[in-house]
Coordinates of all heavy atoms in Angstrom, one line a residue:
M11 N 46.7 -116.8 -43.7 CA 45.5 -117.2 -42.9 C 44.6 -115.9 -43.0 O 45.1 -114.8 -42.8 CB 45.8 -117.4 -41.5 CG 44.6 -117.6 -40.6 SD 44.8 -118.1 -38.9 CE 46.3 -117.2 -38.5
N12 N 43.3 -116.1 -43.3 CA 42.2 -115.0 -43.3 C 41.5 -115.1 -42.1 O 41.4 -116.2 -41.5 CB 41.5 -115.1 -44.6 CG 42.2 -114.8 -45.8 OD1 42.9 -113.7 -45.8 ND2 42.1 -115.6 -46.9
H13 N 40.8 -114.1 -41.7 CA 40.0 -114.0 -40.6 C 38.5 -113.7 -41.1 O 38.4 -112.8 -41.9 CB 40.4 -113.0 -39.6 CG 41.8 -113.2 -39.0 ND1 42.0 -113.7 -37.8 CD2 43.0 -113.0 -39.6 CE1 43.2 -113.9 -37.5 NE2 43.9 -113.4 -38.6
Y14 N 37.6 -114.4 -40.5 CA 36.1 -114.2 -40.9 C 35.3 -114.1 -39.7 O 35.5 -114.7 -38.6 CB 35.6 -115.5 -41.7 CG 36.3 -115.7 -43.0 CD1 37.5 -116.3 -43.1 CD2 35.7 -115.1 -44.1 CE1 38.1 -116.6 -44.3 CE2 36.4 -115.2 -45.3 CZ 37.5 -116.0 -45.4 OH 38.1 -116.2 -46.6
I15 N 34.3 -113.2 -39.7 CA 33.3 -113.1 -38.7 C 32.0 -113.6 -39.3 O 31.6 -113.2 -40.3 CB 33.1 -111.6 -38.3 CG1 34.4 -111.1 -37.6 CG2 31.9 -111.5 -37.3 CD1 34.3 -109.6 -37.2
V16 N 31.4 -114.6 -38.6 CA 30.2 -115.2 -39.1 C 29.2 -115.0 -38.1 O 29.2 -115.3 -36.9 CB 30.5 -116.8 -39.2 CG1 29.2 -117.5 -39.7 CG2 31.6 -117.1 -40.1
M17 N 28.0 -114.5 -38.6 CA 26.8 -114.2 -37.8 C 25.8 -115.4 -37.9 O 25.2 -115.6 -39.0 CB 26.0 -112.9 -38.3 CG 26.9 -111.8 -38.3 SD 27.6 -111.4 -36.7 CE 28.3 -109.8 -37.0
Q18 N 25.9 -116.2 -36.8 CA 25.1 -117.5 -37.0 C 23.7 -117.3 -36.4 O 22.8 -118.0 -36.9 CB 25.9 -118.6 -36.4 CG 27.1 -118.9 -37.1 CD 27.9 -120.0 -36.5 OE1 28.4 -119.8 -35.4 NE2 28.1 -121.1 -37.2
N19 N 23.5 -116.6 -35.4 CA 22.2 -116.4 -34.7 C 21.4 -117.7 -34.6 O 21.7 -118.5 -33.8 CB 21.5 -115.3 -35.4 CG 22.3 -114.0 -35.3 OD1 22.7 -113.8 -34.1 ND2 22.4 -113.2 -36.2
A20 N 20.2 -117.8 -35.5 CA 19.3 -118.9 -35.2 C 19.9 -120.2 -35.3 O 19.3 -121.2 -34.7 CB 18.2 -118.7 -36.2
T21 N 21.0 -120.5 -36.0 CA 21.4 -121.8 -36.2 C 22.8 -122.0 -35.5 O 23.5 -123.0 -35.7 CB 21.7 -122.2 -37.7 OG1 22.6 -121.2 -38.3 CG2 20.3 -122.1 -38.5
H22 N 23.2 -121.1 -34.6 CA 24.5 -121.2 -33.9 C 24.7 -122.6 -33.2 O 25.7 -123.1 -33.4 CB 24.7 -120.1 -33.0 CG 24.0 -120.1 -31.8 ND1 22.6 -119.6 -31.7 CD2 24.2 -120.6 -30.5 CE1 22.2 -119.8 -30.4 NE2 23.2 -120.4 -29.7
G23 N 23.7 -123.0 -32.5 CA 23.8 -124.2 -31.8 C 24.1 -125.5 -32.6 O 25.0 -126.2 -32.3
E24 N 23.4 -125.6 -33.6 CA 23.5 -126.8 -34.5 C 24.8 -126.7 -35.2 O 25.6 -127.7 -35.3 CB 22.4 -126.8 -35.6 CG 21.1 -127.2 -35.0 CD 20.4 -125.9 -34.4 OE1 20.8 -124.9 -34.5 OE2 19.3 -126.2 -33.7
E25 N 25.3 -125.5 -35.7 CA 26.4 -125.5 -36.4 C 27.7 -125.5 -35.6 O 28.7 -126.3 -35.9 CB 26.5 -124.1 -37.2 CG 25.5 -123.9 -38.3 CD 25.7 -122.7 -39.1 OE1 26.7 -122.5 -39.6 OE2 24.6 -122.0 -39.3
L26 N 27.6 -125.1 -34.3 CA 28.8 -125.2 -33.4 C 29.0 -126.7 -33.0 O 30.0 -127.2 -33.0 CB 28.7 -124.2 -32.2 CG 28.9 -122.8 -32.5 CD1 28.7 -121.9 -31.3 CD2 30.4 -122.5 -33.0
S27 N 27.8 -127.3 -32.6 CA 27.9 -128.6 -32.2 C 28.3 -129.6 -33.3 O 28.9 -130.6 -33.0 CB 26.7 -129.0 -31.4 OG 25.6 -129.1 -32.3
G28 N 27.8 -129.2 -34.5 CA 28.2 -130.0 -35.6 C 29.5 -129.8 -36.2 O 30.0 -130.6 -37.1
G29 N 30.2 -128.7 -35.8 CA 31.5 -128.4 -36.3 C 31.5 -128.0 -37.8 O 32.6 -128.2 -38.4
Y30 N 30.6 -127.2 -38.2 CA 30.4 -126.8 -39.6 C 29.7 -125.4 -39.6 O 29.2 -124.9 -38.7 CB 29.6 -127.7 -40.4 CG 28.1 -127.8 -40.0 CD1 27.1 -127.0 -40.4 CD2 27.7 -128.9 -39.2 CE1 25.9 -127.1 -40.0 CE2 26.4 -129.0 -38.7 CZ 25.5 -128.1 -39.3 OH 24.2 -128.2 -38.9
M31 N 29.9 -124.7 -40.8 CA 29.1 -123.6 -41.1 C 28.4 -123.8 -42.4 O 28.9 -124.7 -43.3 CB 30.0 -122.5 -41.4 CG 30.8 -122.0 -40.2 SD 31.8 -120.5 -40.6 CE 32.7 -120.8 -42.1
W32 N 27.2 -123.4 -42.5 CA 26.5 -123.8 -43.9 C 25.6 -122.4 -44.1 O 25.1 -121.7 -43.3 CB 25.4 -124.9 -43.7 CG 24.8 -125.2 -44.9 CD1 25.2 -126.1 -45.9 CD2 23.5 -124.7 -45.4 NE1 24.4 -126.2 -46.9 CE2 23.3 -125.4 -46.7 CE3 22.5 -123.8 -44.9 CZ2 22.2 -125.0 -47.4 CZ3 21.5 -123.6 -45.6 CH2 21.3 -124.1 -46.9
S33 N 25.5 -122.2 -45.5 CA 24.7 -121.0 -45.9 C 24.1 -121.4 -47.3 O 24.9 -122.0 -48.1 CB 25.7 -119.8 -46.2 OG 25.0 -118.7 -46.7
P34 N 22.9 -121.0 -47.5 CA 22.4 -121.3 -48.9 C 23.2 -120.5 -49.9 O 23.7 -119.4 -49.6 CB 21.0 -120.7 -48.8 CG 20.9 -119.8 -47.6 CD 22.0 -120.3 -46.7
Q35 N 23.3 -121.0 -51.1 CA 24.1 -120.3 -52.2 C 23.2 -119.1 -52.7 O 23.8 -118.2 -53.3 CB 24.4 -121.2 -53.3 CG 25.4 -122.3 -52.9 CD 25.7 -123.3 -53.9 OE1 25.8 -122.9 -55.1 NE2 25.7 -124.6 -53.5
K36 N 21.8 -119.1 -52.6 CA 21.1 -118.1 -53.2 C 19.9 -117.8 -52.0 O 19.6 -118.6 -51.3 CB 20.4 -118.5 -54.4 CG 21.4 -118.7 -55.6 CD 20.6 -119.0 -56.9 CE 21.7 -119.1 -57.9 NZ 21.1 -119.4 -59.2
D37 N 19.5 -116.5 -52.2 CA 18.5 -116.2 -51.2 C 17.1 -116.6 -51.6 O 17.0 -117.3 -52.7 CB 18.5 -114.6 -50.9 CG 18.1 -113.8 -52.2 OD1 17.5 -114.3 -53.1 OD2 18.4 -112.6 -52.1
K38 N 16.0 -116.3 -50.9 CA 14.7 -116.9 -51.2 C 14.1 -116.3 -52.6 O 13.3 -117.0 -53.2 CB 13.7 -116.5 -50.1 CG 14.0 -117.2 -48.8 CD 13.1 -116.8 -47.7 CE 13.5 -117.6 -46.5 NZ 12.7 -117.3 -45.2
S39 N 14.7 -115.2 -53.1 CA 14.2 -114.7 -54.3 C 15.1 -115.2 -55.6 O 14.9 -114.8 -56.6 CB 14.2 -113.2 -54.3 OG 15.5 -112.7 -54.2
G40 N 16.1 -116.1 -55.2 CA 16.9 -116.7 -56.3 C 18.2 -115.8 -56.6 O 18.9 -116.2 -57.5
K41 N 18.4 -114.7 -55.9 CA 19.6 -113.9 -56.1 C 20.8 -114.5 -55.3 O 20.7 -115.3 -54.3 CB 19.3 -112.5 -55.6 CG 18.4 -111.9 -56.5 CD 18.0 -110.4 -56.0 CE 17.0 -109.8 -56.8 NZ 16.6 -108.5 -56.3
K42 N 22.0 -114.2 -55.7 CA 23.2 -114.6 -55.0 C 23.2 -114.1 -53.5 O 22.7 -113.1 -53.2 CB 24.5 -114.1 -55.7 CG 24.7 -114.6 -57.0 CD 26.0 -114.0 -57.6 CE 26.3 -114.7 -59.0 NZ 27.6 -114.1 -59.6
N43 N 23.6 -115.0 -52.8 CA 23.7 -114.8 -51.2 C 25.1 -114.3 -50.9 O 26.0 -115.0 -51.1 CB 23.4 -116.1 -50.5 CG 23.4 -116.0 -49.0 OD1 24.0 -115.1 -48.5 ND2 22.5 -116.7 -48.4
H44 N 25.1 -113.1 -50.3 CA 26.5 -112.5 -50.0 C 27.3 -113.2 -49.0 O 28.4 -113.5 -49.1 CB 26.3 -111.1 -49.5 CG 27.5 -110.4 -49.0 ND1 28.7 -110.0 -49.9 CD2 28.0 -110.2 -47.8 CE1 29.6 -109.6 -49.2 NE2 29.3 -109.6 -47.9
A45 N 26.6 -113.9 -48.0 CA 27.2 -114.7 -46.9 C 27.9 -116.0 -47.6 O 28.9 -116.2 -47.3 CB 26.2 -115.1 -46.0
Y46 N 27.1 -116.5 -48.5 CA 27.8 -117.6 -49.2 C 28.9 -117.2 -50.0 O 30.0 -118.0 -50.1 CB 26.8 -118.4 -50.0 CG 27.5 -119.5 -50.9 CD1 27.7 -120.7 -50.2 CD2 27.8 -119.5 -52.2 CE1 28.5 -121.7 -50.9 CE2 28.5 -120.4 -52.9 CZ 28.8 -121.5 -52.1 OH 29.4 -122.6 -52.9
E47 N 28.8 -116.1 -50.7 CA 30.0 -115.6 -51.6 C 31.2 -115.5 -50.8 O 32.3 -115.9 -51.2 CB 29.5 -114.4 -52.3 CG 28.3 -114.4 -53.1 CD 28.7 -114.9 -54.5 OE1 29.7 -114.3 -55.1 OE2 28.0 -115.7 -55.1
R48 N 31.1 -115.0 -49.7 CA 32.3 -114.8 -48.7 C 32.7 -116.1 -48.2 O 33.9 -116.5 -48.0 CB 32.0 -113.8 -47.6 CG 31.7 -112.5 -48.0 CD 33.0 -111.7 -48.4 NE 33.9 -111.6 -47.3 CZ 35.2 -111.9 -47.4 NH1 35.8 -112.2 -48.5 NH2 35.9 -111.8 -46.3
M49 N 31.7 -116.9 -47.7 CA 32.0 -118.2 -47.2 C 32.8 -119.1 -48.2 O 33.7 -119.9 -47.8 CB 30.8 -119.0 -46.7 CG 31.0 -120.3 -46.1 SD 29.5 -121.1 -45.6 CE 28.9 -120.1 -44.3
A50 N 32.5 -119.0 -49.5 CA 33.2 -119.7 -50.5 C 34.8 -119.6 -50.5 O 35.4 -120.3 -51.1 CB 32.5 -119.6 -51.9
T51 N 35.1 -118.5 -49.9 CA 36.6 -118.2 -49.9 C 37.4 -118.7 -48.7 O 38.5 -118.6 -48.6 CB 36.8 -116.6 -50.0 OG1 36.3 -116.0 -48.8 CG2 36.2 -116.0 -51.2
V52 N 36.7 -119.5 -47.8 CA 37.4 -120.0 -46.6 C 38.2 -121.1 -47.0 O 37.8 -121.9 -47.9 CB 36.2 -120.5 -45.6 CG1 36.9 -121.3 -44.5 CG2 35.4 -119.3 -45.0
K53 N 39.4 -121.1 -46.5 CA 40.5 -122.2 -46.8 C 40.9 -122.8 -45.5 O 40.8 -122.2 -44.4 CB 41.7 -121.6 -47.5 CG 41.2 -120.9 -48.7 CD 41.1 -121.8 -49.9 CE 40.7 -121.1 -51.2 NZ 39.9 -121.6 -52.0
V54 N 41.5 -123.9 -45.6 CA 42.1 -124.6 -44.4 C 43.0 -123.7 -43.6 O 43.8 -123.0 -44.2 CB 42.9 -125.8 -44.8 CG1 43.7 -126.4 -43.6 CG2 42.1 -126.9 -45.4
G55 N 42.8 -123.6 -42.2 CA 43.7 -122.7 -41.5 C 43.1 -121.3 -41.2 O 43.6 -120.6 -40.4
D56 N 42.1 -121.0 -41.9 CA 41.5 -119.6 -41.7 C 40.9 -119.6 -40.3 O 40.3 -120.6 -39.9 CB 40.6 -119.3 -42.8 CG 41.1 -119.0 -44.1 OD1 42.3 -118.8 -44.2 OD2 40.3 -118.9 -45.1
K57 N 41.0 -118.4 -39.6 CA 40.4 -118.2 -38.3 C 38.9 -117.7 -38.5 O 38.7 -116.8 -39.3 CB 41.2 -117.4 -37.4 CG 40.7 -117.3 -36.0 CD 41.7 -116.4 -35.2 CE 42.8 -117.4 -34.8 NZ 43.7 -116.6 -33.8
I58 N 38.0 -118.3 -37.8 CA 36.6 -117.9 -37.9 C 36.0 -117.6 -36.5 O 36.2 -118.4 -35.6 CB 35.8 -119.1 -38.5 CG1 36.3 -119.5 -39.9 CG2 34.3 -118.7 -38.5 CD1 35.9 -120.8 -40.4
Y59 N 35.4 -116.4 -36.4 CA 34.9 -115.8 -35.2 C 33.3 -116.0 -35.3 O 32.7 -115.5 -36.2 CB 35.1 -114.4 -35.0 CG 36.7 -114.1 -35.0 CD1 37.4 -113.9 -36.1 CD2 37.4 -114.2 -33.8 CE1 38.7 -113.7 -36.0 CE2 38.7 -113.9 -33.7 CZ 39.4 -113.7 -34.8 OH 40.8 -113.6 -34.7
S60 N 32.8 -116.9 -34.4 CA 31.4 -117.1 -34.6 C 30.6 -116.2 -33.6 O 30.8 -116.2 -32.4 CB 31.1 -118.6 -34.2 OG 29.8 -118.9 -34.1
C61 N 29.7 -115.5 -34.2 CA 28.8 -114.5 -33.4 C 27.4 -114.8 -33.4 O 26.9 -115.4 -34.4 CB 29.0 -113.1 -34.0 SG 30.7 -112.5 -34.1
Y62 N 26.9 -114.7 -32.2 CA 25.3 -114.8 -32.0 C 25.1 -114.0 -30.8 O 25.9 -113.8 -29.9 CB 24.8 -116.1 -32.1 CG 25.3 -117.1 -31.0 CD1 24.6 -117.1 -29.8 CD2 26.5 -117.8 -31.1 CE1 25.0 -118.1 -28.8 CE2 26.9 -118.7 -30.1 CZ 26.2 -118.8 -28.9 OH 26.6 -119.6 -27.9
D63 N 23.8 -113.5 -30.7 CA 23.4 -112.7 -29.6 C 24.3 -111.5 -29.4 O 24.6 -111.2 -28.2 CB 23.2 -113.6 -28.4 CG 22.4 -113.0 -27.2 OD1 21.5 -112.1 -27.6 OD2 22.6 -113.4 -26.1
K64 N 24.7 -110.9 -30.5 CA 25.4 -109.6 -30.4 C 26.8 -109.8 -29.9 O 27.5 -108.8 -29.3 CB 24.8 -108.6 -29.7 CG 23.4 -108.3 -30.4 CD 22.7 -107.1 -29.7 CE 21.3 -107.0 -30.2 NZ 20.5 -105.9 -29.6
A65 N 27.4 -111.0 -29.8 CA 28.8 -111.1 -29.2 C 29.5 -112.3 -29.9 O 28.9 -113.3 -30.5 CB 28.7 -111.5 -27.7
I66 N 30.9 -112.3 -29.9 CA 31.6 -113.4 -30.3 C 31.5 -114.5 -29.3 O 31.9 -114.3 -28.2 CB 33.1 -113.1 -30.6 CG1 33.2 -112.1 -31.7 CG2 34.0 -114.3 -30.9 CD1 34.6 -111.4 -31.9
R67 N 31.1 -115.7 -29.7 CA 30.8 -116.8 -28.8 C 31.8 -117.9 -29.0 O 31.9 -118.8 -28.1 CB 29.4 -117.3 -29.0 CG 28.4 -116.2 -28.8 CD 28.4 -115.7 -27.4 NE 27.3 -114.8 -27.2 CZ 26.9 -114.3 -26.0 NH1 27.4 -114.6 -24.9 NH2 25.9 -113.3 -26.0
A68 N 32.4 -118.0 -30.0 CA 33.4 -119.1 -30.3 C 34.4 -118.6 -31.4 O 34.1 -117.8 -32.2 CB 32.7 -120.3 -30.8
V69 N 35.6 -119.2 -31.3 CA 36.6 -119.0 -32.3 C 37.1 -120.3 -32.8 O 37.3 -121.3 -32.0 CB 37.8 -118.2 -31.8 CG1 38.9 -118.0 -32.9 CG2 37.4 -116.9 -31.3
G70 N 37.1 -120.5 -34.1 CA 37.6 -121.8 -34.7 C 38.6 -121.6 -35.8 O 38.7 -120.5 -36.2
I71 N 39.2 -122.7 -36.2 CA 40.1 -122.8 -37.3 C 39.4 -123.7 -38.4 O 39.0 -124.8 -38.1 CB 41.4 -123.3 -36.9 CG1 42.1 -122.5 -35.8 CG2 42.4 -123.4 -38.1 CD1 42.4 -121.0 -36.1
A72 N 39.4 -123.3 -39.7 CA 38.8 -124.1 -40.7 C 39.6 -125.3 -40.9 O 40.9 -125.2 -41.1 CB 38.7 -123.3 -42.0
T73 N 39.0 -126.5 -40.9 CA 39.8 -127.7 -41.1 C 39.6 -128.2 -42.5 O 40.2 -129.3 -42.9 CB 39.2 -128.8 -40.1 OG1 37.8 -129.0 -40.4 CG2 39.5 -128.4 -38.7
S74 N 38.9 -127.5 -43.3 CA 38.9 -127.9 -44.9 C 38.4 -126.6 -45.6 O 38.0 -125.6 -45.0 CB 37.7 -128.9 -45.0 OG 36.4 -128.4 -45.0
N75 N 38.7 -126.6 -46.9 CA 38.3 -125.5 -47.7 C 36.8 -125.6 -47.8 O 36.2 -126.6 -47.6 CB 38.9 -125.7 -49.1 CG 40.4 -125.5 -49.1 OD1 41.0 -124.9 -48.2 ND2 41.1 -125.9 -50.2
C76 N 36.1 -124.5 -48.3 CA 34.7 -124.5 -48.3 C 34.4 -125.5 -49.5 O 35.1 -125.6 -50.4 CB 34.3 -123.2 -48.8 SG 32.5 -122.9 -49.1
Y77 N 33.2 -126.1 -49.4 CA 32.7 -127.0 -50.5 C 31.2 -127.0 -50.5 O 30.5 -126.6 -49.4 CB 33.3 -128.5 -50.3 CG 32.9 -129.1 -49.0 CD1 31.7 -129.8 -48.8 CD2 33.8 -128.9 -47.9 CE1 31.4 -130.4 -47.7 CE2 33.4 -129.6 -46.6 CZ 32.3 -130.3 -46.5 OH 31.9 -130.9 -45.4
I78 N 30.5 -127.4 -51.5 CA 29.1 -127.3 -51.7 C 28.6 -128.6 -51.0 O 29.1 -129.7 -51.2 CB 28.8 -127.2 -53.1 CG1 29.1 -125.9 -53.8 CG2 27.2 -127.4 -53.3 CD1 28.9 -125.8 -55.2
A79 N 27.5 -128.4 -50.2 CA 26.9 -129.5 -49.5 C 25.4 -129.2 -49.4 O 25.1 -128.0 -49.3 CB 27.5 -129.7 -48.2
Q80 N 24.6 -130.2 -49.3 CA 23.2 -130.1 -49.0 C 23.0 -129.4 -47.6 O 23.9 -129.6 -46.7 CB 22.4 -131.4 -49.2 CG 22.5 -132.0 -50.4 CD 21.6 -131.2 -51.4 OE1 20.5 -130.7 -51.1 NE2 22.1 -131.0 -52.6
Q81 N 21.8 -128.8 -47.4 CA 21.6 -128.2 -46.1 C 21.5 -129.4 -45.1 O 20.8 -130.4 -45.2 CB 20.3 -127.4 -46.1 CG 19.9 -126.8 -44.9 CD 18.6 -126.0 -44.9 OE1 17.7 -126.4 -45.5 NE2 18.6 -124.9 -44.1
P82 N 22.2 -129.2 -44.0 CA 22.1 -130.3 -43.0 C 20.7 -130.5 -42.5 O 19.9 -129.5 -42.3 CB 23.1 -129.8 -41.9 CG 24.0 -128.9 -42.6 CD 23.2 -128.3 -43.6
H83 N 20.4 -131.7 -42.2 CA 19.1 -132.1 -41.7 C 18.5 -131.2 -40.5 O 17.4 -130.8 -40.6 CB 19.0 -133.6 -41.3 CG 17.7 -134.1 -40.9 ND1 16.6 -134.2 -41.7 CD2 17.1 -134.4 -39.7 CE1 15.5 -134.7 -41.1 NE2 15.9 -134.8 -39.9
E84 N 19.4 -131.1 -39.5 CA 19.0 -130.3 -38.3 C 18.6 -128.8 -38.6 O 17.9 -128.3 -38.1 CB 20.1 -130.4 -37.2 CG 21.4 -129.9 -37.6 CD 22.4 -130.9 -38.2 OE1 21.8 -131.9 -38.7 OE2 23.5 -130.6 -38.2
L85 N 19.3 -128.3 -39.7 CA 18.9 -127.0 -40.2 C 17.6 -126.9 -41.0 O 16.8 -126.0 -40.9 CB 20.0 -126.3 -41.0 CG 21.3 -126.2 -40.3 CD1 22.4 -125.4 -41.1 CD2 21.3 -125.5 -38.9
Q86 N 17.4 -128.0 -41.7 CA 16.1 -128.0 -42.4 C 15.0 -128.1 -41.5 O 13.9 -127.5 -41.7 CB 16.1 -129.3 -43.3 CG 17.1 -129.3 -44.5 CD 17.1 -130.7 -45.2 OE1 16.2 -131.5 -45.0 NE2 18.0 -130.7 -46.0
E87 N 15.2 -128.7 -40.3 CA 14.1 -128.9 -39.3 C 13.7 -127.5 -38.6 O 12.7 -127.2 -38.3 CB 14.4 -129.8 -38.2 CG 14.3 -131.3 -38.8 CD 14.8 -132.2 -37.7 OE1 15.3 -131.8 -36.5 OE2 14.8 -133.4 -38.0
K88 N 14.8 -126.6 -38.6 CA 14.6 -125.3 -38.0 C 13.9 -124.4 -38.9 O 13.2 -123.5 -38.5 CB 16.0 -124.7 -37.7 CG 16.6 -125.1 -36.3 CD 17.4 -124.1 -35.8 CE 16.9 -123.6 -34.5 NZ 17.8 -123.1 -33.5
N89 N 14.1 -124.6 -40.3 CA 13.4 -123.7 -41.2 C 12.0 -124.2 -41.4 O 11.2 -123.7 -41.9 CB 14.2 -123.8 -42.5 CG 15.5 -123.0 -42.3 OD1 15.7 -122.1 -41.5 ND2 16.4 -123.4 -43.0

């Protein structure tokens, strides 16, 4: 089991209530996104510490391996 700290900030509410984490694969300039590169290594059973507002606000256990998915609708609305 690996341990991850995830800085969610602006999207913490949607991600926590939806039971998922999401990150773009590339940044706005088209370069690789470091957060996604690390997220891609998450496997079932890994422990995830969810941080926002400068503190750990939730701890979860991954229920699936990382997989590619479209940006959730509720996050599209925030952007």
Side-chain angles (χ1 to χ4, degrees):
M11 169 179 36
N12 290 312
H13 297 259
Y14 295 87
I15 296 175
V16 178
M17 305 301 187
Q18 293 176 298
N19 296 319
T21 60
H22 72 274
E24 291 79 8
E25 292 185 55
L26 287 175
S27 66
Y30 63 85
M31 296 185 312
W32 186 87
S33 174
Q35 294 179 39
K36 296 185 178 183
D37 66 17
K38 291 178 182 178
S39 67
K41 295 179 183 172
K42 290 183 179 179
N43 179 328
H44 175 72
Y46 175 77
E47 298 277 316
R48 292 288 297 140
M49 186 182 292
T51 65
V52 172
K53 304 282 184 218
V54 171
D56 288 347
K57 190 174 274 190
I58 301 164
Y59 301 87
S60 176
C61 299
Y62 62 92
D63 196 24
K64 301 179 184 178
I66 295 173
R67 303 296 180 168
V69 178
I71 304 293
T73 58
S74 72
N75 294 342
C76 179
Y77 58 91
I78 295 173
Q80 294 293 320
Q81 185 180 34
H83 181 71
E84 59 272 17
L85 299 186
Q86 291 174 15
E87 290 177 354
K88 275 207 120 151
N89 291 332

